[in-house]
Amino acid sequence: MFRKILIANRGEIACRIIRTAKRLGVGTVAVYSDADAQARHVLMADEAVHIGPAPVRDSYLVAERIIAAARLTGAEAIHPGYGFLSENAGFARACAEAGIVFIGPPPAAIEAMGLKGAAKALMEKAKVPVVPGYHGDDQTPELLAKEAERIGYPVLIKAVAGGGGKGMRRVDTAQDFAAALAGAKREAANAFGDDKVLLEKYLVKPRHIEIQVFADAKGNAVHLFERDCSVQRRHQKVLEEAPAPDMSSQMRQAMGAAAVAAAKAIGYVGAGTVEFIADVSEGLRADRFYFMEMNTRLQVEHPVTEMITGQDLVEWQLRVAGGEELPLRQEQLTISGHAVEARVYAEDPVRNFLPSVGVLHRLRSPAENAHVRVDTGVSEGDAVTPYYDPMIAKLIVWDTDRKSALRRLRQALGEYQIAGVATNTAFLIALAGHPAFVEGDLDTGFIERFRSDLIPQQTPAPVSVLALAALAVTLERRAQAAAMSVGDPWSPWSAVNGWRMNDVGWDELIFKDRDTDIACRIEYVGADAVRLRVQDKEVLVQGTLEADGTLDAALDGRRMKIGIVRQGDDLTILLPGETHKLTLVDPRVVSAIDEGAGGQLNAPMPGKVVQVLVAEGAKVEKGQALMILEAMKMEHTISAPGRGVVAKINFQAGDQVTEGVSLLSIEGED
Ligand code: MV4
C-alpha cells in the first residue's frame, strides 16, 4: 500500500478518496486553486498544494503543476478522480515518466477507448455485442446512404470522435439522409476537428445500463454488476441505481461476461465502466444490449455499486495500483438489496435548470446512517461558483428492495435544507415518486416525457408560510431589542419602543413573494406568539428560534421544526421538500431609496464586467443601468438603488470580479 497519495481533483470526489485513504492509513495531499483555498477537500487532507487560479485550465487541468506538487510532497501515486485529467493518456504517461503511479488504467487502454469507431471495431472482434451498424473507413456519402438502407431506418449518425451525445443525428427516411449526413459531418468537424461518422440502428426505447469492471495487473478481471443510469437530462445523469430494475440473472451474467471480455481485450487494469445501451421496446432482453463506450475511470455513480456489494471501490483502486491482486473473485461477489443515488445540484428547474451560483447560507443534509450516505465537497458557508460543476452532493440510499429505497430517497431529500442557491431537490422528490418511475418503467426519454409532472410548480407562499416568516421576524426583532437593552436600561431599545407597545397591539408586515406585495396584519398575542391575518384568513403561530437557525413552531397547535434563513431583507423558509423565498418590505426603506440613496454596489456573484455604462461624476436616476456583469453565461444588470451621483467606479470592462466586491459607489443626493 502507498505511504502517501495526491488527489488531483476537488469537491466531493476528492473528499471521497481522502476518506478511504485515511481509513487505510495512507497520507493525503490535496491540490487547490485560488477559489478552493478553504474548500472541504483541502481541510480534510493532511497536506495541500496551491496549483493556480480558479479556472480549471489554469489549475486542475495543468498536468505539470500537479506532478510538481506530487514531487514536492513526496506522494508516490496520483488519484485523478473523475473528469479533469482522469482520462488523459498523456497525463498518465507523464506520471509514469516522473516515477509516480497513476491510479488508473494503462495509457494505452485509455487511448483504445478514446475513439468510438476503433473501440467499436475492437469490441466486435472481442465478441462484445455492438449496435448493428457501419463503422468503416469509407466515408463517401453514397456508400453511407447504402449502408443506412441496409441497417434499416431509423438510423443514427454519430461522430466517431464524439461522446456524450455530441454530433448525433437521427434520420428517419432515406430522403433526409444526405442533408443529415452533411450536418453531422459539419458539427463533428467543428466540435472534434474530425468529421468521420459511424451509422447505427436507432433504438427507439433505450436504457443506459453500465457494468462496473475491475482488473488487476496479474490478469484477473471481475465485474461488480450493473447500474441503471437511464434517467438523464441532456446527457447528464440525474438518478442512478443498482441493480437495474427487472434485470434477469441470465441477462446480468451475459452483460457481466461481455464487460469483462471488453476489459480483457484492451489489457485493462483498475476500475472501469462498460456502458451498454439496451433496447427495451419489448422489455429487457438478454439478446438486446449493445456496447456503447467504456469509461476508463471511477464514475460519479460508483457509490450505488458500493452499497449493494459492500465493497469500497477506492480501496480496490489503491490496492490494484499498488500491485496487489483483486480483493475478491467473481464468485465471492454478491448483490444485497437496492441502492439509488440522486445528484443534488445548485440549479433551478423552473429556469430550465440554469446553474445557480451563490453562497450556501444554509446547508443541512439528511442524517447519515446504514441506509443513507451523503457524499459532498461543500460545507455551509461555502460558495457555489461559476468555475466548477454546481453539484452540491450525491445522496445515496440503500434498502432491501427498490420501492423501499425510493421511499427512503424521497424522505432523505425532504430533509435537505439549502438556502442561498436554487436546487433541484423538489424535482428529485417528484422524480423518485413518479408512478412510472416507481414501477420501473424507465428509458432515456423519461424526464422529457414527464417533464410537466416533474418541474415544481411556482406556487404563492401559503398563509402558513407567511405566518412562520412573521413569527421568525418578530422573534428576531425581540431578541435584538433584548440584547441591546442588556445593561443599559436607558437605551432607546428598552425605552417605550414600538415592540413593547406592539406586544399588546399589532403591526403591519409586508412580504414580497416574487412580484406580489402581501400586506399582513400581525397581532402580538404573547412573548412567543403572533396571530397573522392576511386577506380573509387568520393563523395563530407560536414558537422559539433556536441557535442553529431552526424555528420550533406550532401553527394552530401543529408542531414543526423548520429552517429560517435571513439575509438582509430576504427570508428563506425551508419546509420538508419545499422552499419559499420572501422579501421583507419595509415601507420606510423604500421611501428613503426614492429620495436618493448612496452606498456601495457589490457583485452579486463572481463574474466578468462586460460593460460600464456610466462615468464617475454622472448623475443617475433610480433604476438606471450602471454596469453589466456576465456570470454563468447570463448577463446581470447592476442598477442604481436610488437617485445619486457616481462617486467611484472600481472595475472596467473585461475585469474579473469575485462575489461581494464593491463594483462602484454612489453618493445619495439630498
Ligand atoms: C443511441 C441512442 C439510440 N440508438 N444509439 C447518447 C449518448 C451516447 N453515448 C449514446 N447515446 C445514444 N445512443 C442508438 N443506436 C440513444 C442515445 C441516447 C442516450 C443514451 C444513453 C443515455 C441517455 C441518452 C439520451 C439520449 C439519447
Side-chain angles (χ1 to χ4, degrees), residues 98-343:
I100 297 163
V101 176
F102 174 74
I103 303 173
I110 300 177
E111 276 161 349
M113 288 299 176
L115 279 175
K116 305 296 151 231
K120 228 183 134 179
L122 205 65
M123 290 303 111
E124 226 169 4
K125 229 178 92 197
K127 302 250 177 340
V128 176
V130 297
V131 185
Y134 170 82
H135 46 87
D137 284 329
D138 190 339
Q139 295 275 306
T140 51
E142 295 71 32
L143 176 99
L144 290 171
K146 205 150 29 127
E147 286 295 327
E149 206 70 54
R150 177 185 62 77
I151 295 161
Y153 287 98
V155 299
L156 190 65
I157 308 175
K158 287 185 180 175
V160 165
K166 258 188 239 147
M168 294 199 328
R169 292 279 167 116
R170 170 185 175 165
V171 194
D172 288 318
T173 65
Q175 288 87 318
D176 303 334
F177 186 79
L181 177 66
K185 281 195 170 284
R186 200 167 44 241
E187 207 173 295
N190 279 336
F192 313 110
D194 178 355
D195 75 348
K196 255 185 93 183
V197 297
L198 55 83
L199 305 179
E200 284 183 359
K201 176 86 191 157
Y202 181 81
L203 309 178
V204 291
K205 198 176 183 198
R207 253 164 81 178
H208 172 129
I209 301 179
E210 57 185 34
I211 304 281
Q212 176 71 56
V213 293
F214 240 104
D216 62 27
K218 302 193 153 96
N220 304 302
V222 298
H223 69 85
L224 291 94
F225 315 108
E226 77 280 4
R227 296 184 284 260
D228 192 314
C229 314
S230 298
V231 182
Q232 307 198 356
R233 210 195 121 261
R234 301 204 174 177
H235 306 294
Q236 294 284 325
K237 292 167 186 158
V238 176
L239 283 184
E240 304 102 339
E241 57 182 304
D246 296 327
M247 180 85 126
S248 68
S249 59
Q250 182 209 0
M251 183 167 182
R252 177 169 297 125
Q253 260 175 22
M255 289 185 81
V260 169
K264 287 196 161 158
I266 57 166
Y268 204 78
V269 178
T273 297
V274 184
E275 288 185 4
F276 293 97
I277 188 164
D279 174 5
V280 294
S281 52
E282 297 174 284
L284 262 193
R285 288 176 43 165
D287 58 349
R288 296 223 183 139
F289 68 87
Y290 311 99
F291 172 84
M292 263 201 302
E293 52 190 80
M294 181 167 183
N295 299 312
T296 54
R297 57 162 194 274
L298 187 71
Q299 306 238 137
V300 177
E301 59 273 21
H302 77 276
V304 292
T305 299
E306 297 186 320
M307 299 285 266
I308 62 158
T309 59
Q311 301 303 310
D312 179 335
L313 298 190
V314 173
E315 176 178 348
W316 280 47
Q317 285 189 297
L318 298 182
R319 294 201 180 284
V320 165
E324 294 181 38
E325 268 190 42
L326 288 178
L328 295 176
R329 311 205 161 269
Q330 190 68 59
E331 54 283 5
Q332 294 173 296
L333 286 159
T334 55
I335 297 178
S336 163
H338 199 96
V340 189
E341 171 179 287
R343 300 189 188 188

Side-chain angles (χ1 to χ4, degrees), residues 10-11 35-36 38-40 346 356-363 377-392 419-421 604-606 632 658-660:
R10 62 178 305 284
D36 280 339
Q38 298 299 322
R40 198 172 160 121
S356 176
V357 297
V359 173
L360 293 160
H361 290 299
R362 184 148 310 170
L363 173 57
V378 288
S379 309
E380 190 166 285
D382 286 354
V384 176
T385 72
Y387 299 113
Y388 312 114
D389 184 83
M391 187 165 77
I392 297 170
V421 297
M605 58 187 82
M632 303 304 305
T658 53
E659 183 186 324

Side-chain angles (χ1 to χ4, degrees), residues 478 480-503:
R478 284 187 179 154
Q480 261 169 16
M484 289 180 115
S485 67
V486 169
D488 182 6
W490 309 112
S491 109
W493 289 94
S494 45
V496 185
N497 63 53
W499 308 120
R500 284 270 173 95
M501 278 190 352
N502 282 341
D503 278 352

